[in-house]
Amino acid sequence: MIETVTTTPYTDQKMGTAGLRKKTAIAMQPHYIENFLQSIFNTIPSLETKSFLVGGDGRYFNNIAIQKIIKIAAANKVKKLYIAQNGLVSTPAGSCIILKNKLDGGLILTASHNPGGKNGDFGLKYSTSTGGQCQPHESQAILEQTLKITEYKISNATDFDLSQIGIFHCEETEIEIIDPYTDYIETMRNIFDFNKLHALLTSNFRFVFDAMNGVTGPYGKKIFEEILGAPEGSVLNATPKEDFGGLHPDPNLIYAKSLVDLMYSDNAPDFAAANDGDGDRNMILGSHFFVSPSDSFAILTDNYKIIPAYKDGIYGVAKSAATSMAVKRVADKLKIGFYEVPTGWKYFINLMDSKRITFCGEESFGTGATHIREKDGIWAILFWLSIIATTNKSVKQIALDHWQKYGRSYYLRNDYEGIAQEIADKLMSDLENRLPELTNKRFGNFTVSSAHPFIYNDPVDNSSTKNGLIVHFTDGSRIVYRLSGTGTNGATLRVYIERYVTDKLLEESNEILQELSKVSQEISHVCTLTGKQQPDIIT
């Protein structure tokens, strides 16, 4: 039977960069998830004709939330739900399933790279038929519903066993539990030369993939070990865990320290990579060598002809404003389209759907292409392995060859975490007001050439979005300031520091960018306003 439950609004359900993310304890409040789900369904017409994917990264509270989704969807007369077996699906695979099966969208339970567990974070993304995150006008409509909701509908059916593939019903809604791997693996086979990759991973080439106890552990076991022949044990932390085994599932130099230590040891493998909790982010390492996300994106773009699916050409590329300018130099040389968008993968979707771009990348360890509408960690790893298999060069040599050809953008991201929201807002507001005064001003060895808010005008839907503040210097250096939309504990100020050089290609980024990092603090007044003397995280 279907019950109608009286409720009152929560006022904190505005979606951020990639959906709703909250502390798990907040998400577990009475009616909290139910309110949000009903608000989503209230914005979707003709639910009796709609089919959705449901799954997530396996973090704590996901299984309970999935049962709620089933019962609320059934009460709202959704036609069909495709549930990933055991509730587990990576974000890239989810997008792939939505697109390949022409579904109307998906409810993906993940807080991506945020920690899990009872004291961690919970997240829920609403994906549309594009396979990507809903657009700003859609999230705004959902927010308006959350602020005026008075009731939700829910079936009182018992919980369902999600371990067995098959079909059952909840009220009039058909529920199909599906294999979350098949469609994604087939897509990867259609993009890359698996025979070439098999030859590489069965040679004396030493490969390691760290799934960080996230959802791509099983994907990695199936693809890298079972199909491509990497030795058993090449996939580390391969079992998805509700709290990610106590790890912070963000693949960077700080949180993937054990992998970084291995790659800088005397016994370093040839290649290593890591994914985050839901599999959309990636980190690439060679022996005693780290590839920044911006450089990785540029290198993949420059080598697109190596990949069978792209050998006949690509439309163009797009990057987030905070990502370094490295890929623009490649796009200019290749004479392909180039776009710069706000941070948030949803801003790439119109460009992909209108065939303006094929590849896209962002500063926070995300790269992807038009095979789906999300960033894709395993895709990036397979791309890198394909370059290595074709060139027979190390990761370091591939990067060095690229810098000798294009120059190098030394790049760091400084995160100031846990800032009170009102202080963070004041910092950004004050800085924006000061931007006109910065032009031609000198800070040590750096002179400002221009300073302005970043404003993106979408060429497809003509929408306009302001996202962050950019300071340009006369030598080509840049500093980008923006508030993150993925945190759950106060505000996070992210400061992106970039310096372009054509010599000194193998220096330490911290040393090259030391002065510019201090300039970034001086310009923003971040230390004065927050009391912090240094960033909480430097990546």
Side-chain angles (χ1 to χ4, degrees), residues 54-242:
V54 180
D57 61 16
R59 67 181 57 231
Y60 185 82
F61 193 56
N62 274 18
N63 288 336
I64 295 172
I66 288 173
Q67 299 292 342
K68 293 178 185 290
I69 291 172
I70 293 172
K71 296 170 188 178
I72 291 176
N76 282 274
K77 303 186 184 302
V78 169
K79 178 183 178 181
K80 184 170 182 177
L81 295 178
Y82 294 81
I83 312 290
Q85 187 178 24
N86 297 313
L88 295 173
V89 67
S90 74
T91 292
S95 181
C96 177
I97 291 167
I98 291 170
L99 284 170
K100 189 167 184 180
N101 296 279
K102 299 181 180 179
L103 306 187
D104 297 291
L107 296 163
I108 309 301
L109 296 139
T110 177
S112 190
H113 56 283
N114 292 20
K118 291 183 179 180
N119 299 316
D121 297 340
F122 172 85
L124 197 160
K125 293 196 296 188
Y126 167 48
S127 298
T128 66
S129 59
T130 66
Q133 302 156 25
C134 63
Q135 293 296 304
H137 71 276
E138 293 166 311
S139 60
Q140 179 62 31
I142 294 167
L143 173 63
E144 291 171 3
Q145 288 292 321
T146 69
L147 296 175
K148 64 182 182 182
I149 190 170
T150 59
E151 63 182 31
Y152 62 83
K153 297 177 181 179
I154 188 167
S155 169
N156 65 2
T158 56
D159 286 353
F160 296 90
D161 179 5
L162 306 181
S163 65
Q164 299 298 317
I165 291 174
I167 296 176
F168 57 91
H169 288 80
C170 182
E171 309 298 342
E172 298 178 11
T173 298
E174 183 175 300
I175 312 294
E176 182 174 356
I177 300 176
I178 63 169
D179 180 318
Y181 308 108
T182 302
D183 286 343
Y184 180 76
I185 292 173
E186 181 182 1
T187 298
M188 293 301 103
R189 284 185 181 274
N190 289 335
I191 295 173
F192 301 101
D193 184 341
F194 268 35
N195 290 330
K196 181 184 289 187
L197 294 173
H198 185 275
L200 176 69
L201 294 187
T202 54
S203 67
N204 59 359
F205 182 82
R206 296 179 61 208
F207 163 86
V208 173
F209 170 61
D210 189 347
M212 302 189 79
N213 295 320
V215 74
T216 54
Y219 290 86
K221 295 289 285 187
K222 290 177 181 293
I223 294 172
F224 297 122
E225 293 186 8
E226 295 175 20
I227 298 174
L228 297 180
E232 186 176 353
S234 297
V235 179
L236 310 176
N237 297 310
T239 302
K241 297 181 179 179
E242 288 189 336

Side-chain angles (χ1 to χ4, degrees), residues 276-467:
D276 66 338
D278 69 328
D280 59 358
R281 294 186 172 194
N282 73 92
M283 178 174 67
I284 303 298
L285 295 160
S287 176
H288 295 80
F289 193 80
F290 164 71
V291 184
S292 77
S294 296
D295 282 332
S296 179
F297 180 34
I299 290 167
L300 298 187
T301 300
D302 197 39
N303 288 277
Y304 75 84
K305 291 183 179 179
I306 284 175
I307 309 304
Y310 311 124
K311 61 182 174 59
D312 293 330
I314 59 176
Y315 294 115
V317 295
K319 75 173 189 70
S320 63
T323 302
S324 90
M325 300 298 285
V327 76
K328 184 180 188 304
R329 294 190 289 273
V330 176
D332 289 346
K333 184 175 180 60
L334 298 179
K335 297 181 180 180
I336 58 175
F338 169 79
Y339 298 84
E340 196 171 32
V341 307
T343 294
W345 210 258
K346 57 193 171 191
Y347 295 105
F348 294 123
I349 292 175
N350 281 343
L351 298 174
M352 288 191 276
D353 288 346
S354 62
K355 295 185 177 180
R356 284 173 166 84
I357 64 169
T358 304
F359 297 163
C360 39
E362 65 180 13
E363 73 285 349
S364 54
F365 295 82
T367 37
T370 51
H371 63 287
I372 58 172
R373 297 300 182 268
E374 293 277 3
K375 51 196 169 215
D376 190 344
I378 286 179
W379 172 88
I381 296 165
L382 292 171
F383 203 140
W384 263 97
L385 290 172
S386 298
I387 297 172
I388 293 168
T390 301
T391 64
N392 198 31
K393 294 179 179 178
S394 68
V395 172
K396 181 177 181 179
Q397 189 60 54
I398 291 167
L400 182 58
D401 288 350
H402 183 85
W403 294 333
Q404 288 171 339
K405 183 177 179 181
Y406 290 102
R408 179 178 180 182
S409 287
Y410 282 93
Y411 185 86
L412 285 177
R413 189 185 86 196
N414 292 346
D415 287 1
Y416 299 84
E417 297 185 322
I419 304 172
Q421 189 66 53
E422 61 271 17
I423 293 176
D425 291 340
K426 174 177 171 54
L427 185 153
M428 292 296 286
S429 177
D430 290 351
L431 177 55
E432 183 172 351
N433 290 334
R434 293 197 308 274
L435 289 181
E437 306 169 6
L438 296 179
T439 301
N440 298 323
K441 191 171 182 179
R442 189 172 182 83
F443 295 88
N445 292 312
F446 298 92
T447 301
V448 176
S449 58
S450 66
H452 54 84
F454 174 74
I455 298 175
Y456 175 61
N457 297 308
D458 191 304
V460 179
D461 63 17
N462 297 315
S463 63
S464 183
T465 304
K466 185 170 76 172
N467 185 255

Side-chain angles (χ1 to χ4, degrees), residues 470-528:
I470 304 180
V471 179
H472 295 272
F473 298 89
T474 54
D475 69 340
S477 299
R478 300 191 318 158
I479 300 173
V480 180
Y481 301 89
R482 59 174 290 271
L483 296 181
S484 172
T486 61
T488 60
N489 183 25
T492 296
L493 172 68
R494 288 188 168 155
V495 183
Y496 308 88
I497 301 163
E498 174 184 354
R499 183 180 177 186
Y500 177 62
V501 301
T502 55
D503 58 359
K504 298 182 179 179
L505 298 178
L506 289 173
E507 304 299 316
E508 290 294 329
S509 294
N510 284 324
E511 294 179 9
I512 291 290
L513 297 173
Q514 184 176 23
E515 182 182 0
L516 199 56
S517 294
K518 292 179 180 178
V519 170
S520 75
Q521 295 177 340
E522 183 179 353
I523 289 175
S524 66
H525 300 173
V526 62
C527 297
T528 301

